[in-house]
């Protein structure tokens, strides 16, 4: 073998608190509005991608979670082409004309509906950047793979600016605050049991753009104002406001889905049970200590501060009884947070729901953007 | 006994196809937008109210479904005062100063969430009108009892104009077309099993006005356009368009509920199962033969044309198995429509759902406004 270049990166999942729903340009993946997200720690959820480049390879090949997939989709081609052009203009090595073998895996079930494509495309672009030794903001390349992937190119709080250029080159993600800025933030992911097939987000948002009258107003009036309020709440570490806007924007996104024709429904009964639980919890506390947000599926992403995690985990255990020995996973797993006693005022609000409606809970925190897990390796 | 005057009326339920959700004036019950409804036949659903007037009565008294209720609520007082003033200015008999005994009943369970207050207040005002021999449009008086009651003052298709006067005197209902104009229209009410307590519509719409950003746009932009398209579809007896706009407006109303903070949810899993069933049914037919609309509760109101009723009843029986011997009630009860065979293409789309999720189905049609069931009786 003449020579082999290797690059491996991990990339995170991100959860939008101001939602992206609707494309202005379907092909270039330019969104109808800015969005804002929190990047989650790769300790608990991540994609890992290894890329090998060699003059011996006869074609580009790709394996996703152990299964070979085509590299000829427009989305993958757009990412590969953009990075190779950038590499060629900088005369990087390895030679950008060499073919690639790409191996990508998620450490969580794709079926869980946890934004796997965002982590996956961010990881692809990060690994390619690393392979060719490129520097700078390549979020617009990740965007061409999967819109929200651009936000996974940075850690902490990230804003995806829709941009104004027709070619989408200024439709990029920018870090608003690093994860270290507000280190107390915790994320609790409730993975809901669901048998139903969801409307995919690509076709769903297209249908919303075509049929929802309310989406026009959301894009033109609501999001531009709301995203500024949200940025201010983050800058001031005002959790009560951060939580309220997060919940309002999740609700508005699902309202837009319902205003779509035919209507789209992502939240099921368990999702709504979680909504009720969160509002009860906040009402007992007299302020928002917990926030929910739902993406294009029934799973809840809850935000809170570190100090409230033990109580909230206990609230979840009480409301959603489970026989599972690893019901609570991640940084606060079952063996760590087991002994909290709920106040009687809170406990009596929580009628246990039928067992099994929540599959499991992943506890995690904010984290960094894509990380090379080894220097790129050159075997010659 | 010196003298006794008696008046008895029946009044119908109405179902909005362009929804009323939000008051501009809480006290006068002036809505934020026009709405449009179909009045249902009193053969299947109605309120019946008898009013007795006598100089021997010492105070106004009211019995609702057999239980005495206070007459001192602002809503009842507003109705009584307005009618008595009108009667006094025309020196009607009986003497408007005499006290009243009012007995009102619904022929359907109030708990079923079938707009009982609309029928009830329309019936109160119609019976009072009849008692005092008043003529003219008293829908603005019924409106002060319960907003949508004003639409039950007329048969067929009825538009409630929000009006422009601050005192609400021009916030009245007007008939758009009598029920005889489109006699083929049928209404199928699906009464859903539900254990949950809903947010009342009065407090729900108030919260939407205070917190939903999207409601502002619905009021200012969507409804004014949509109500004209709807009036045109009715004028042209264009069922496909009538059905589409009906579904879109129901969906938008529930979208506004979800955009409310905290969010309000009226549609449960069974409601959504009905939504899916209707879209599947229409898709098999290649046009909208069936429409759903949901008010502030989980029950579905389906609209169709007479020719499709047997098939649709069979679709409901297939999708929602029931042991009940009177599952299908009303004008097409179980013994009438029993033998339809579904096309295999349609049948194989319909996976039977767990038995009991639909309590029962009421089949009915459009109908007339309030009707005196006897001439007012005078016993002296």
């Amino acid at each position: 073998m003449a020579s082999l270049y290797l690059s491996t990166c991990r990339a995170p999942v991100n959860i939008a608190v101001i939602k992206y729903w609707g494309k202005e340009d379907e092909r270039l993946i330019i969104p109808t509005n800015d969005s804002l997200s929190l990047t989650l720690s790769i300790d608990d959820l991540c994609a890992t991608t290894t890329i090998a480049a060699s003059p011996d390879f006869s074609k580009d090949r790709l394996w996703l979670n152990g299964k070979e997939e085509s590299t000829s989709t427009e989305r993958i081609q757009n990412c590969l082409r953009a990075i190779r052009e950038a590499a060629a203009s900088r005369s990087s090595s390895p030679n950008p004309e060499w073919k690639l073998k790409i191996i990508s895996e998620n450490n969580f079930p794709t079926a869980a509906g946890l934004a796997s494509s965002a982590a996956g495309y961010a990881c692809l672009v990060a690994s390619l950047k690393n392979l060719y030794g490129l520097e700078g903001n390549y979020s617009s390349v990740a965007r061409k793979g999967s819109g929200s992937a651009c936000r996974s190119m940075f850690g902490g709080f990230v804003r995806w600016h829709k941009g104004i250029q027709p070619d989408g080159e200024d439709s990029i993600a920018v870090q608003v605050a690093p994860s270290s800025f507000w280190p107390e933030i915790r994320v609790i992911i409730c993975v809901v049991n669901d048998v139903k097939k969801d409307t995919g987000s690509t076709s769903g948002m297209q249908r919303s753009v075509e049929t929802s009258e309310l989406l026009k107003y959301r894009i033109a009036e609501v999001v531009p104002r709301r995203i500024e309020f949200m940025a201010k709440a983050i800058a001031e570490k005002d959790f009560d406001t951060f939580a309220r806007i997060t919940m309002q924007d999740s609700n508005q996104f699902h309202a837009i889905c319902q205003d779509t024709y035919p209507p789209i429904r992502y939240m099921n009964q368990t999702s709504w049970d979680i909504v009720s639980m969160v509002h009860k919890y906040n009402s007992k506390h007299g302020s928002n200590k917990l926030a929910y947000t739902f993406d294009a599926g029934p799973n809840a992403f809850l935000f809170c501060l570190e100090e409230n995690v033990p109580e909230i985990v206990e609230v979840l255990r009480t409301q959603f009884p489970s026989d599972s020995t690893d019901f609570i996973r991640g940084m606060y797993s079952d063996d760590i947070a087991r002994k909290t006693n709920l106040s009687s005022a809170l406990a009596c609000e929580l009628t246990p729901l039928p067992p099994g409606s929540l599959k499991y809970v992943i506890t995690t925190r904010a984290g960094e953007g894509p990380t090379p897990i080894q220097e790129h390796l050159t075997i010659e």
Side-chain angles (χ1 to χ4, degrees), chain A residues 280-292:
Chain A
K280 273 181 201 159
Y281 183 79
N282 289 337
S283 155
K284 283 289 157 199
H285 277 281
S287 70
N288 297 317
K289 301 291 188 194
L290 186 58
Y292 53 77

Side-chain angles (χ1 to χ4, degrees), chain A residues 18-36 143 147-148 150-151 159-165 168 171-172 201-202 204-225 227 249 252-253 256:
Chain A
I18 302 290
K19 300 293 188 190
Y20 154 52
W21 193 252
K23 295 186 187 72
E24 208 165 84
D25 186 306
E26 287 285 332
R27 201 177 52 80
L28 296 171
I29 311 189
I30 301 176
T32 52
N33 56 260
D34 288 20
S35 55
L36 206 154
R143 193 200 78 229
S148 57
C150 70
R151 297 187 313 238
R159 179 167 176 170
W160 175 11
H161 294 264
K162 72 184 283 284
I164 51 170
Q165 290 179 215
S171 185
I172 59 169
S201 58
T202 298
M205 70 176 74
Q206 194 170 357
R207 205 157 89 204
S208 294
V209 170
E210 286 163 4
T211 64
S212 169
E213 300 232 36
L214 299 181
L215 179 54
K216 298 182 180 78
Y217 184 73
R218 166 171 170 76
I219 291 165
E221 299 290 334
V222 181
V223 171
R225 268 199 310 269
I227 207 161
D249 207 65
Q252 185 163 96
F253 154 48
I256 296 300

Side-chain angles (χ1 to χ4, degrees), chain A residues 13-259:
Chain A
V13 163
N14 73 80
I15 303 302
V17 293
I18 302 290
K19 300 293 188 190
Y20 154 52
W21 193 252
K23 295 186 187 72
E24 208 165 84
D25 186 306
E26 287 285 332
R27 201 177 52 80
L28 296 171
I29 311 189
I30 301 176
T32 52
N33 56 260
D34 288 20
S35 55
L36 206 154
S37 61
L38 182 64
T39 292
L40 305 189
S41 168
I42 57 174
D43 292 348
D44 297 303
L45 297 169
C46 72
T48 306
T49 300
T50 295
I51 302 184
S54 165
D56 294 343
F57 297 162
S58 59
K59 60 169 187 167
D60 292 330
R61 295 180 71 183
L62 167 69
W63 289 262
L64 281 183
N65 295 313
K67 187 166 166 287
E68 182 156 12
E69 306 274 352
S70 165
T71 58
S72 63
T73 66
E74 189 180 13
R75 290 174 169 226
I76 289 172
Q77 283 300 315
N78 283 346
C79 291
L80 292 177
R81 189 184 317 112
I83 294 279
R84 278 173 163 145
E85 281 171 10
S89 71
R90 280 167 185 75
S91 48
S92 316
S93 43
N95 185 333
E97 291 182 7
W98 294 356
K99 300 301 180 190
L100 304 173
K101 292 193 180 179
I102 304 166
I103 298 155
S104 187
E105 286 183 355
N106 300 323
N107 72 342
F108 52 92
T110 305
L114 300 176
S116 53
S117 68
Y121 277 100
C123 210
L124 172 67
V125 172
S127 301
L128 288 167
K129 253 185 85 177
N130 186 52
L131 177 74
Y132 297 116
L134 301 173
E135 300 286 340
N137 186 332
Y138 280 82
S139 62
S140 76
V141 179
R143 193 200 78 229
K144 290 172 191 164
S146 173
S148 57
C150 70
R151 297 187 313 238
S152 276
M153 295 297 284
F154 298 94
F157 291 97
V158 180
R159 179 167 176 170
W160 175 11
H161 294 264
K162 72 184 283 284
I164 51 170
Q165 290 179 215
D167 64 0
E169 288 310 300
D170 62 346
S171 185
I172 59 169
V174 173
Q175 188 179 67
V176 171
S179 61
S180 58
F181 173 75
W182 202 351
E184 301 85 1
I185 291 250
R186 293 293 175 272
V187 179
I188 300 175
I189 305 170
C190 300
V191 179
V192 168
N193 252 322
D194 198 44
V195 291
K196 298 183 59 175
K197 212 170 52 186
D198 294 322
T199 307
S201 58
T202 298
S203 65
M205 70 176 74
Q206 194 170 357
R207 205 157 89 204
S208 294
V209 170
E210 286 163 4
T211 64
S212 169
E213 300 232 36
L214 299 181
L215 179 54
K216 298 182 180 78
Y217 184 73
R218 166 171 170 76
I219 291 165
E221 299 290 334
V222 181
V223 171
R225 268 199 310 269
R226 190 171 272 177
I227 207 161
E228 299 306 331
F229 286 126
M230 181 57 105
K232 184 164 174 285
I234 293 167
E236 293 172 356
K237 298 186 195 175
D238 172 358
F239 191 82
D240 181 65
T241 303
F242 169 79
R244 178 177 52 77
I245 302 176
T246 295
M247 292 187 276
Q248 286 177 319
D249 207 65
S250 174
N251 291 332
Q252 185 163 96
F253 154 48
H254 292 279
I256 296 300
C257 290
Q258 172 131 27
D259 190 51

